[in-house]
Amino acid sequence: MAVAEGGMEPTACQWAPRLCGTWLRLFVHVANTAFGQICLLPFLIRLNNFSLMRSLDIHEDPTFIPEVAAEVTEDKSEAKSTSDVIEQLIDGRSDSASNGFSFKGIKDYLDCYRSGKLTPSQVAKNIIATLEDCDKSTPPLRAIVQWDQEQIMLMAEASTVRYRNKCTLSYLDGIPVCLKEEFKVVPYHQRVGTVYLGTEPETEDATVAKKLREAGAIIIGVSNMHELGTGTTGCNPNRYHKIPRNPYKPNHFTGGSSSGSAAAVAAGLCPVAIGTDGGGSVRIPASFCGVVGLKGTFGRISCHGSLPLSYSTVSVGPICTSVADAAIVYSILAEPDPLYPYGLKQPKATLSDMCASDLKGLKLGVDWTFFKACDAEILSICEKAVEHLQSLGASVVELSLPEMEEVRVAHVICILSEMRDFLQPDFNKHFQEMNLDTRANLALASQFTALDYITANRQRTRSMRFLREIFTTVNCILTPGRNADDSFSRRFMQLGNFTGIPGLVVPIGYSAAGLPISFQVMGKWWDEAVLLRIGLKLEEFRCQTKKPSIYYDVLA
């Protein structure tokens, strides 16, 4: 029987216990025994509704890669160039001191360099001192896990000369950045959160690292991550990484898997970081750490040089101090890469209408049933954010996102099956060197069959068709950016990864406990510009930015 248009409600018996220590070790041991494979894991598959695909009769052909052809649109000659928009964004940012605390962003660095107040070399020395200090603190921040003083100073001194000679390379010249350890970055080890990968230093950069160097950015190191990207807490206790701390609440998770990238930006180590997002892995840590995270359309930014853990769900994106900074980084990184097979026919990345004074003409889609599936405190502020967008001229269109339970299950099947396939040699050879939760996730992945995987990709075809229809009536889809229960924050993120649409999270407030609350905007394929336009207005809604309890001002 084919599934109904409305989809299925999330199962009420999803089992997501928080195991640690002896109980986690025991569970992982049993899961990888014959009893675990024959009895325990199949039971968990049924309990979490992961067997759902086996009960569906879907006739659509499977879509294994969510790559979508660009729409042919007329070129607007009156539209501002991207460089003009960026100049307007930089000029339009309010003064840091005018409204209490604010993160130091790209504008603040450029002002210091252009005025001669500071040079990139002086800032680099401050960063090096900060990197030395933050891992001596109690507890250590553990945002940046590999860095090299000589490399940092070489890039900073070259940038200083360019500023002196007035021949800078881009808006990112002299801007400190870090990249997730999943990327190849010379001369660091591509450990991908493990203790066994990356035994030799890299001799070639990933495409995004190369583009950042060409833009003049100062790469301050590679950042911590959840081991092999298999989780969204960011917790990685192995000897090379240790647990990164949330700068707002050091005893709370950073979110993951791009944990160190978000923590580095929130703690002031750099205004820009690069992560990868296969199941919310840019947007979840950005939400948890109170900064901005952008997941581009599938294929928009090259993944060449990152470990291909899940080829159909992962997109690259920036984590930044502001929407304006995310737009700047996006404009530099988003273009076809002959070394990466997806996104070769993408439309030119633009920032059209991003600085419009209002949101008139935009239609914002909200599935209120899905939207309200979060904590009451988060829901209250997110509803007010929707009202704020309406007050700027946007109209809210109530809609239904079909088959979201099917999307949840199909996404889990796709990402875990692809990870298990890629990591099968590692699972056999380095099992004892993996973290316990990684072993558990990969053991669970072994339960999925070829039939599960093909049916999940048939579901992808359906879900992408539903979205095409939805985007004929609305410009974007709104959801909360997180839930109070960290383990269920991924539910808002999976649609973007499964279908390849872009998503942006923006902090809009704080809980009573002082934790950031974020809001997500998702758009149609290749339309990141509308997300950034709405994101700017969401920043206006946030009445204040609270200073993280761990924060370093490297421009002081």
Side-chain angles (χ1 to χ4, degrees):
M1 181 176 73
V3 290
E5 278 293 298
M8 299 176 64
E9 289 298 313
T11 178
C13 57
Q14 290 177 25
W15 189 72
R18 298 190 177 186
L19 300 178
C20 62
T22 302
W23 287 110
L24 177 58
R25 191 167 281 105
L26 177 62
F27 172 79
V28 170
H29 172 74
V30 173
N32 286 282
T33 63
F35 170 78
Q37 292 288 314
I38 296 170
C39 298
L40 177 61
L41 291 180
F43 172 70
L44 293 180
I45 289 284
R46 292 192 300 273
L47 195 63
N48 286 278
N49 205 28
F50 291 156
S51 58
L52 172 62
M53 294 293 113
R54 298 168 191 174
S55 66
L56 302 181
D57 182 15
I58 303 177
H59 299 289
E60 286 88 345
D61 289 337
T63 298
F64 294 104
I65 300 293
E67 192 173 25
V68 172
E71 295 178 358
V72 178
T73 57
E74 292 184 15
D75 186 29
K76 297 180 181 179
S77 57
E78 71 275 9
K80 287 185 178 180
S81 70
T82 297
S83 60
D84 288 341
V85 174
I86 291 174
E87 282 292 347
Q88 188 175 350
L89 289 171
I90 291 174
D91 292 341
R93 281 202 62 187
S94 59
D95 183 34
S96 298
S98 64
N99 196 26
F101 171 79
S102 67
F103 289 107
K104 294 297 191 295
I106 291 174
K107 171 183 168 58
D108 300 293
Y109 285 85
L110 294 180
D111 286 348
C112 286
Y113 298 157
R114 290 169 176 175
S115 68
K117 178 182 176 183
L118 287 171
T119 67
S121 295
Q122 290 171 313
V123 169
K125 290 175 183 177
N126 291 346
I127 291 171
I128 290 166
T130 298
L131 290 170
E132 291 172 342
D133 178 71
C134 67
D135 280 336
K136 293 176 183 175
S137 60
T138 305
L141 181 61
R142 298 305 295 165
I144 306 297
V145 291
Q146 297 181 60
W147 57 279
D148 184 285
Q149 178 174 335
E150 183 179 350
Q151 289 289 320
I152 294 172
M153 289 307 304
L154 279 173
M155 287 180 275
E157 287 163 1
S159 180
T160 298
V161 170
R162 290 193 294 270
Y163 273 97
R164 186 185 307 133
N165 295 333
K166 294 182 170 45
C167 59
T168 53
L169 300 173
S170 78
Y171 297 103
L172 291 185
D173 206 326
I175 305 300
V177 305
C178 68
L179 293 94
K180 187 177 184 179
E181 200 184 48
E182 190 173 328
F183 293 100
K184 292 183 177 182
V185 182
V186 179
Y188 304 109
H189 299 259
Q190 190 189 21
R191 293 194 176 112
V192 200
T194 72
V195 296
Y196 65 86
L197 287 174
T199 54
E200 297 294 329
E202 290 302 321
T203 57
E204 184 179 351
D205 279 331
T207 295
V208 287
K210 181 181 178 184
K211 290 180 76 64
L212 289 169
R213 286 191 204 275
E214 290 171 348
I218 302 171
I219 298 175
I220 66 169
V222 293
S223 53
N224 208 338
M225 62 176 289
H226 202 113
E227 185 181 58
L228 295 167
T230 57
T232 55
T233 64
C235 183
N236 187 349
N238 73 41
R239 67 179 183 272
Y240 285 145
H241 299 86
K242 301 187 172 22
I243 298 171
R245 300 292 171 168
N246 187 324
Y248 273 97
K249 291 279 184 177
N251 60 336
H252 282 68
F253 288 135
T254 55
S257 62
S258 306
S259 51
S261 295
V265 172
L269 302 181
C270 52
V272 174
I274 307 299
T276 58
D277 192 316
S281 291
V282 161
R283 292 162 292 157
I284 290 173
S287 296
F288 284 20
C289 293
V291 290
V292 172
L294 172 65
K295 181 200 90 73
T297 301
F298 179 84
R300 179 59 107 173
I301 299 174
S302 174
C303 286
H304 175 72
S306 66
L307 203 69
L309 295 165
S310 172
Y311 52 83
S312 79
T313 67
V314 173
S315 297
V316 175
I319 297 175
C320 300
T321 57
S322 68
V323 173
D325 288 1
I328 293 169
V329 179
Y330 162 75
S331 70
I332 288 172
L333 298 182
E335 66 178 359
D337 176 11
L339 298 176
Y340 184 60
Y342 310 121
L344 292 175
K345 296 181 180 179
Q346 64 177 274
K348 182 176 175 58
T350 70
L351 302 177
S352 58
D353 297 326
M354 184 177 169
C355 296
S357 60
D358 55 41
L359 298 178
K360 289 178 181 176
L362 291 186
K363 295 180 179 179
L364 316 179
V366 180
D367 180 336
W368 287 110
T369 301
F370 187 64
F371 191 99
K372 293 178 179 180
C374 63
D375 178 78
E377 185 178 29
I378 291 174
L379 176 60
S380 175
I381 193 168
C382 287
E383 287 178 328
K384 290 174 183 175
V386 174
E387 293 172 2
H388 171 73
L389 298 178
Q390 282 182 287
S391 73
L392 293 169
S395 58
V396 172
V397 178
E398 190 167 344
L399 53 79
S400 173
L401 293 172
E403 302 177 2
M404 290 305 293
E405 175 64 0
E406 288 85 343
V407 167
R408 180 188 75 86
V409 173
H411 170 262
V412 168
I413 290 171
C414 287
I415 191 170
L416 283 183
S417 296
E418 290 165 14
M419 283 184 162
R420 176 73 193 220
D421 169 63
F422 183 78
L423 295 170
Q424 182 63 32
D426 296 26
F427 191 73
N428 293 333
K429 187 176 180 181
H430 299 285
F431 178 81
Q432 295 297 334
E433 297 171 271
M434 291 178 172
N435 289 340
L436 292 171
D437 65 323
T438 304
R439 300 183 213 174
N441 282 321
L442 293 179
L444 184 69
S446 69
Q447 294 293 308
F448 297 129
T449 66
L451 184 60
D452 291 330
Y453 184 70
I454 291 172
T455 306
N457 282 286
R458 291 182 188 275
Q459 178 63 45
R460 193 190 323 245
T461 304
R462 286 177 65 83
S463 297
M464 292 175 72
R465 174 166 61 82
F466 294 147
L467 285 178
R468 285 189 184 93
E469 294 168 359
I470 286 170
F471 285 127
T472 62
T473 59
V474 300
N475 299 97
C476 62
I477 298 168
L478 309 180
T479 76
R482 66 169 296 176
N483 196 2
D485 186 335
D486 297 346
S487 62
F488 290 103
S489 290
R490 188 165 53 188
R491 65 174 294 136
F492 296 118
M493 308 297 167
Q494 291 172 294
L495 181 64
N497 297 106
F498 188 54
T499 62
I501 60 174
L504 175 76
V505 293
V506 180
I508 57 171
Y510 303 88
S511 69
L515 289 167
I517 294 174
S518 289
F519 193 91
Q520 180 178 223
V521 190
M522 294 182 286
K524 67 181 177 182
W525 299 271
W526 313 117
D527 199 7
E528 288 86 351
V530 75
L531 308 187
L532 295 164
R533 177 182 173 185
I534 296 169
L536 282 180
K537 303 307 180 188
L538 287 170
E539 285 184 324
E540 293 175 2
F541 167 75
R542 188 179 73 239
C543 60
Q544 69 168 140
T545 301
K546 291 188 177 180
K547 185 177 181 179
S549 59
I550 301 174
Y551 186 75
Y552 298 91
D553 185 354
V554 298
L555 296 181

Coordinates of all heavy atoms in Angstrom, one line a residue, residues 63 66-69 71 460-474 499 501 524-525:
T63 N 16.2 8.1 -6.3 CA 17.2 9.2 -6.5 C 18.3 9.0 -5.6 O 18.2 9.2 -4.4 CB 16.5 10.6 -6.3 OG1 15.4 10.7 -7.2 CG2 17.5 11.7 -6.5
P66 N 20.9 13.9 -4.6 CA 19.9 14.9 -4.7 C 20.3 16.2 -5.5 O 20.2 17.3 -5.0 CB 19.6 15.2 -3.2 CG 20.9 15.0 -2.6 CD 21.5 13.8 -3.3
E67 N 20.9 15.9 -6.7 CA 21.4 17.1 -7.5 C 20.2 17.5 -8.4 O 19.6 16.7 -9.0 CB 22.5 16.6 -8.3 CG 23.3 17.8 -9.0 CD 24.6 17.3 -9.7 OE1 24.7 16.1 -10.0 OE2 25.4 18.2 -9.8
V68 N 20.0 18.8 -8.4 CA 18.8 19.4 -9.1 C 19.3 20.4 -10.1 O 20.2 21.3 -9.8 CB 17.9 20.1 -8.1 CG1 16.8 20.9 -8.8 CG2 17.3 19.1 -7.2
A69 N 18.8 20.3 -11.3 CA 19.2 21.3 -12.4 C 18.7 22.7 -12.0 O 17.7 22.9 -11.4 CB 18.6 20.8 -13.7
E71 N 17.2 26.4 -12.4 CA 16.2 27.0 -13.2 C 16.8 28.0 -14.1 O 17.7 28.7 -13.7 CB 15.1 27.6 -12.3 CG 14.3 26.6 -11.4 CD 13.3 27.3 -10.5 OE1 13.3 28.5 -10.6 OE2 12.6 26.6 -9.8
R460 N 13.3 9.5 -1.3 CA 13.9 10.7 -1.6 C 13.3 11.4 -2.9 O 13.1 12.6 -3.0 CB 15.4 10.6 -1.9 CG 16.2 11.9 -1.9 CD 17.6 11.8 -2.3 NE 18.4 10.7 -1.9 CZ 19.4 10.8 -1.1 NH1 19.8 11.9 -0.5 NH2 20.2 9.7 -0.8
T461 N 13.0 10.5 -3.9 CA 12.4 11.0 -5.1 C 11.0 11.7 -4.8 O 10.7 12.8 -5.2 CB 12.1 9.9 -6.1 OG1 13.4 9.3 -6.4 CG2 11.5 10.4 -7.4
R462 N 10.2 11.0 -3.9 CA 8.9 11.5 -3.5 C 9.1 12.9 -2.7 O 8.4 13.8 -3.0 CB 8.2 10.5 -2.6 CG 7.6 9.3 -3.3 CD 7.0 8.4 -2.3 NE 5.9 8.9 -1.6 CZ 4.6 8.9 -2.1 NH1 4.4 8.4 -3.3 NH2 3.6 9.4 -1.4
S463 N 10.0 12.9 -1.8 CA 10.2 14.1 -1.0 C 10.7 15.3 -1.8 O 10.2 16.4 -1.5 CB 11.2 13.8 0.2 OG 10.7 12.8 1.0
M464 N 11.5 15.0 -2.8 CA 12.0 16.1 -3.6 C 10.8 16.6 -4.5 O 10.7 17.8 -4.8 CB 13.2 15.7 -4.5 CG 14.4 15.4 -3.6 SD 15.8 14.8 -4.5 CE 16.3 16.2 -5.5
R465 N 10.0 15.7 -4.9 CA 8.8 16.1 -5.7 C 7.9 17.0 -4.9 O 7.3 18.0 -5.3 CB 8.1 14.9 -6.3 CG 6.7 15.2 -7.0 CD 6.2 14.1 -7.8 NE 5.9 12.9 -7.0 CZ 4.8 12.7 -6.3 NH1 3.9 13.7 -6.2 NH2 4.7 11.6 -5.6
F466 N 7.6 16.5 -3.6 CA 6.8 17.3 -2.7 C 7.3 18.7 -2.6 O 6.6 19.7 -2.6 CB 6.7 16.7 -1.4 CG 6.0 15.4 -1.3 CD1 6.4 14.4 -0.4 CD2 4.9 15.1 -2.2 CE1 5.7 13.1 -0.4 CE2 4.3 13.9 -2.2 CZ 4.7 12.9 -1.3
L467 N 8.7 18.8 -2.4 CA 9.3 20.2 -2.2 C 9.2 21.0 -3.5 O 9.0 22.2 -3.4 CB 10.7 20.0 -1.8 CG 11.0 19.6 -0.3 CD1 12.5 19.4 -0.1 CD2 10.4 20.6 0.7
R468 N 9.3 20.4 -4.6 CA 9.2 21.2 -5.9 C 7.8 21.8 -5.9 O 7.6 23.0 -6.3 CB 9.4 20.3 -7.1 CG 10.8 20.0 -7.4 CD 11.0 19.3 -8.7 NE 12.3 18.8 -9.0 CZ 12.8 17.6 -8.6 NH1 12.0 16.7 -8.1 NH2 14.1 17.3 -8.9
E469 N 6.8 21.1 -5.5 CA 5.4 21.6 -5.5 C 5.3 22.7 -4.4 O 4.6 23.7 -4.7 CB 4.4 20.4 -5.2 CG 4.4 19.4 -6.3 CD 3.7 18.1 -6.0 OE1 3.2 18.1 -4.8 OE2 3.6 17.2 -6.8
I470 N 5.8 22.5 -3.3 CA 5.7 23.5 -2.2 C 6.4 24.8 -2.6 O 5.9 25.9 -2.3 CB 6.4 22.9 -0.9 CG1 5.5 21.8 -0.3 CG2 6.7 24.0 0.1 CD1 6.1 21.1 0.9
F471 N 7.6 24.7 -3.3 CA 8.3 25.9 -3.6 C 7.7 26.7 -4.8 O 8.2 27.7 -5.2 CB 9.8 25.6 -3.9 CG 10.5 25.3 -2.6 CD1 11.3 24.2 -2.4 CD2 10.5 26.3 -1.6 CE1 12.0 24.0 -1.3 CE2 11.2 26.0 -0.4 CZ 12.0 24.9 -0.2
T472 N 6.6 26.1 -5.4 CA 5.8 26.9 -6.3 C 4.9 27.9 -5.6 O 4.4 28.8 -6.2 CB 5.0 26.0 -7.3 OG1 4.0 25.3 -6.5 CG2 5.9 25.1 -8.0
T473 N 4.7 27.7 -4.3 CA 3.7 28.5 -3.6 C 4.4 29.4 -2.5 O 3.8 30.3 -2.0 CB 2.6 27.7 -2.9 OG1 3.2 26.7 -2.0 CG2 1.8 26.9 -4.0
V474 N 5.6 29.0 -2.1 CA 6.4 29.7 -1.0 C 7.8 29.9 -1.4 O 8.3 29.1 -2.3 CB 6.3 29.0 0.4 CG1 4.9 28.9 0.8 CG2 7.0 27.7 0.3
T499 N 17.2 15.9 0.9 CA 16.7 16.4 -0.4 C 17.7 17.4 -1.1 O 17.5 17.8 -2.2 CB 15.4 17.2 -0.3 OG1 15.5 18.3 0.6 CG2 14.3 16.2 0.3
I501 N 18.3 20.6 -0.2 CA 17.9 22.1 -0.2 C 18.8 22.8 0.8 O 19.3 22.2 1.8 CB 16.4 22.3 0.1 CG1 16.1 21.7 1.5 CG2 15.6 21.7 -1.0 CD1 14.6 22.1 1.9
K524 N 14.5 26.8 -1.6 CA 14.6 25.9 -2.8 C 16.1 25.8 -3.2 O 16.9 26.6 -2.9 CB 13.7 26.3 -3.9 CG 14.1 27.6 -4.6 CD 13.1 27.9 -5.7 CE 13.4 29.3 -6.3 NZ 12.4 29.6 -7.4
W525 N 16.4 24.8 -4.0 CA 17.7 24.5 -4.5 C 18.3 25.8 -5.1 O 17.6 26.4 -5.9 CB 17.7 23.3 -5.5 CG 17.2 22.1 -4.9 CD1 18.0 21.1 -4.2 CD2 15.9 21.6 -4.8 NE1 17.2 20.1 -3.8 CE2 15.9 20.3 -4.1 CE3 14.6 22.1 -5.3 CZ2 14.7 19.6 -3.9 CZ3 13.5 21.4 -5.1 CH2 13.5 20.1 -4.4

